[in-house]
């Protein structure tokens, strides 16, 4: 990354002091973005990355304001800011689309989450999801359901709204070598088997099989 | 009883599909819908739309630092800093970042920063010229 982003950044993680260079930060943003784009379900929320990237963008904008006008570097830095902003926006938009698409399931998953498990929704996303659900429920009730006979006045949203298809196939690249990944049979004639994932290899596989590996960062969806 | 359930499902599906289209309108047109479209919406749908855009605005404001991050911008990856645009109708004066103002008159062509034009292109005031 060019001169404006040469300093190191402290991540506001709370539990641990993580010092990421801007390059690493943008790399992890891009990784999160690609994973979110290609995964069929909503992935873990990454508030630390988002916060750091926003800080970084503000920092770069401030630098640019102070720079001399007509300096060639200004254009290059501005282009960089635009690109980073695009990736961040695209990542957040992708998440919002998934939240809206699977809203009952997302809220249910968050409700039934165990204490130690990481959250898939940031607090703001959670508020957005709840408002979306309440809004839609109120609308359906007022427009149609209250006019229906009493035993039909509720719609089971969890059953009606389709669940994310975890069996869809995804492309991935292996970042850390994995051994003995259990692949479940698709049809009755096949039997389950295990495979080893070599570092650097690329595969086309059912999302369900490798979902935990995406969460741990062992593979990258492409 | 099965018929009743099926009818309920059909009605809810139709209504929900309309909601999804209205949601798409917010992302395409912005906060204010053209009158022609508003004419086709029921009162409850307008209410849903208003609540949705408020919810979305709250979320966007919470995301990026002080002013928030407008997620309806930057829909496509940026290809270049400045773009050639033609003005489709009279808009008036338009100020760019370095303080200079541009007069947007119908059929005038300008070479402007991309991020400033995105909103106006979506509203139909400017047209991106691809050479």
């Amino acid at each position: 990354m060019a001169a404006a982003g040469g300093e190191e950044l402290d991540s506001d993680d709370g539990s641990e002091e993580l010092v990421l260079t801007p390059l690493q930060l943008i790399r992890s943003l891009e990784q999160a973005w690609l994973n979110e784009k290609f995964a069929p379900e909503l992935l873990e929320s990454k508030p630390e990355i988002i916060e750091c990237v926003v800080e970084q963008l503000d920092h770069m904008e401030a630098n640019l304001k102070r720079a001399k006008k007509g300096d060639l570097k200004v254009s290059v830095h501005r282009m960089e800011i635009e690109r980073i902003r695009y990736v961040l926006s695209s990542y957040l938009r992708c998440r919002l689309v998934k939240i809206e698409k699977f809203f009952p399931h997302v809220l249910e998953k968050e409700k039934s989450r165990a204490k130690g498990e990481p959250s898939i929704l940031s607090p703001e996303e959670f508020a957005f999801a709840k408002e979306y659900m309440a809004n839609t429920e109120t609308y359906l009730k007022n427009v149609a359901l209250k006019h229906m006979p009493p035993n039909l006045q509720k719609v089971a949203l969890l059953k009606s709204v389709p669940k994310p298809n975890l069996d869809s196939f995804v492309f991935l690249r292996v970042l850390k070598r994995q051994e003995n990944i259990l692949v479940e049979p698709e049809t009755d004639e096949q039997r389950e088997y295990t495979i080893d994932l070599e570092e650097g290899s690329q595969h086309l596989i059912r999302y369900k099989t490798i979902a935990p590996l995406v969460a741990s960062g062992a593979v990258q969806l492409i | 009883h099965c018929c009743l359930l099926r009818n309920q499902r059909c009605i809810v599906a139709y209504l929900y599909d309309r909601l999804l289209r209205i949601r798409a309108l917010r992302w395409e047109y912005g906060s204010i819908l053209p009158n022609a479209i508003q004419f086709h919406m029921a009162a409850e749908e307008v209410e849903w739309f208003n609540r949705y855009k408020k919810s979305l605005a709250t979320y966007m404001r919470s995301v990026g630092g002080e002013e928030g991050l407008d997620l309806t911008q930057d829909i496509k990856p940026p290809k270049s800093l400045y773009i050639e645009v033609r003005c489709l109708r009279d808009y008036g004066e338009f100020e760019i970042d370095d303080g200079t103002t541009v007069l947007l008159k119908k059929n005038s062509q300008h070479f402007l920063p991309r991020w400033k034009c995105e909103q106006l292109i979506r509203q139909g005031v400017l047209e991106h010229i691809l050479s």
Side-chain angles (χ1 to χ4, degrees):
Chain A
M1 236 169 143
E7 325 82 76
E8 297 201 324
L9 233 54
D10 269 73
S11 153
D12 227 8
D13 213 9
S15 50
E16 35 176 271
E17 272 300 305
L18 204 61
V19 179
L20 283 175
T21 65
L23 184 57
Q24 287 174 319
L25 175 66
I26 301 304
R27 281 255 167 81
S28 44
L29 172 68
E30 284 178 358
Q31 276 185 335
W33 174 55
L34 288 174
N35 279 340
E36 195 73 63
K37 228 175 162 208
F38 296 115
E41 61 171 355
L42 188 65
L43 300 176
E44 231 176 272
S45 88
K46 308 257 182 219
E48 336 79 52
I49 298 185
I50 298 177
E51 207 181 302
C52 288
V53 170
V54 167
E55 236 180 80
Q56 179 74 339
L57 281 178
D58 284 342
H59 194 82
M60 287 171 81
E61 290 262 8
N63 275 349
L64 273 193
K65 282 204 169 76
R66 285 182 287 145
K68 272 190 307 205
K69 247 185 71 162
D71 196 358
L72 213 60
K73 284 198 287 188
V74 170
S75 310
V76 176
H77 284 316
R78 190 155 274 299
M79 204 56 202
E80 191 159 22
I81 293 182
E82 298 271 300
R83 285 205 192 98
I84 299 174
R85 205 188 357 246
Y86 167 73
V87 173
L88 181 64
S89 288
S90 184
Y91 171 67
L92 293 173
R93 270 198 298 267
C94 184
R95 287 182 65 86
L96 276 189
V97 164
K98 281 195 210 171
I99 291 175
E100 289 175 7
K101 200 165 171 192
F102 304 122
F103 66 96
H105 307 287
V106 161
L107 286 171
E108 184 63 33
K109 194 166 169 186
E110 188 62 17
K111 238 179 15 180
S112 55
R113 178 171 65 99
K115 273 252 165 188
E117 264 173 58
S119 176
I120 49 168
L121 291 175
S122 72
E124 295 85 14
E125 288 172 341
F126 186 53
F128 178 78
K130 276 201 301 202
E131 284 168 23
Y132 187 78
M133 178 146 179
N135 199 8
T136 311
E137 278 180 335
T138 314
Y139 168 78
L140 289 177
K141 197 169 83 173
N142 288 338
V143 173
L145 294 177
K146 71 178 182 197
H147 300 296
M148 293 193 189
N151 58 337
L152 282 182
Q153 281 194 359
K154 293 222 160 247
V155 170
L157 284 174
L158 265 182
K159 276 197 291 180
S160 324
V161 175
K163 270 182 128 147
N165 180 14
L166 298 176
D167 282 326
S168 48
F169 279 79
V170 290
F171 281 96
L172 60 88
R173 181 183 303 125
V174 180
L175 300 175
K176 293 189 217 148
R177 191 191 145 84
Q178 301 295 314
E179 303 200 337
N180 293 331
I181 305 295
L182 192 66
V183 179
E184 275 166 50
E186 280 172 72
T187 60
D188 285 330
E189 292 107 45
Q190 297 174 340
R191 271 186 300 143
E192 53 187 31
Y193 55 96
T194 59
I195 53 171
D196 290 335
L197 297 174
E198 294 293 326
E199 187 172 326
S201 60
Q202 293 173 264
H203 301 269
L204 175 61
I205 199 170
R206 251 178 299 147
Y207 176 75
K208 202 158 59 170
T209 318
I210 47 97
L213 300 179
V214 176
S216 69
V219 305
Q220 166 79 53
L221 297 183
I222 51 178
Chain B
H1 183 65
C2 276
C3 288
L4 292 175
L5 280 178
R6 181 181 171 278
N7 287 346
Q8 185 210 40
R9 259 206 7 240
C10 291
I11 293 177
V12 173
Y14 165 71
L15 292 173
Y16 190 62
D17 194 70
R18 277 179 73 93
L19 283 189
L20 291 180
R21 286 168 203 237
I22 296 174
R23 176 231 178 246
L25 290 175
R26 165 65 185 90
W27 286 84
E28 201 182 313
Y29 284 104
S31 299
I32 316 235
L33 292 181
N35 277 329
I37 294 185
Q38 279 210 358
F39 181 66
H40 291 295
M41 283 167 58
E44 290 90 356
E45 289 174 335
V46 173
E47 213 183 292
W48 186 91
F49 178 76
N50 288 335
R51 272 193 286 216
Y52 176 74
K53 73 178 185 195
K54 203 164 117 193
S55 196
L56 186 62
T58 312
Y59 175 72
M60 295 201 291
R61 223 183 357 254
S62 74
V63 158
E66 287 150 21
E67 298 162 359
L69 184 64
D70 186 0
L71 293 178
T72 59
Q73 298 270 61
D74 306 309
I75 301 281
K76 293 218 184 78
K79 282 238 159 89
S80 61
L81 272 183
Y82 284 75
I83 52 172
E84 186 90 23
V85 288
R86 181 182 300 124
C87 201
L88 294 177
R89 50 175 199 256
D90 278 330
Y91 185 74
E93 297 221 325
F94 185 56
E95 190 178 331
I96 340 181
D97 278 338
D98 52 8
T100 56
T101 47
V102 175
L103 183 61
L104 295 177
K105 237 169 122 51
K106 186 167 174 184
N107 284 328
S108 61
Q109 279 186 217
H110 305 276
F111 193 56
L112 296 175
R114 197 191 55 87
W115 68 94
K116 285 249 125 188
C117 303
E118 201 174 334
Q119 184 79 286
L120 291 176
I121 293 178
R122 284 233 295 276
Q123 286 173 3
V125 175
L126 294 176
E127 179 190 20
H128 187 174
I129 304 174
L130 303 147
S131 49

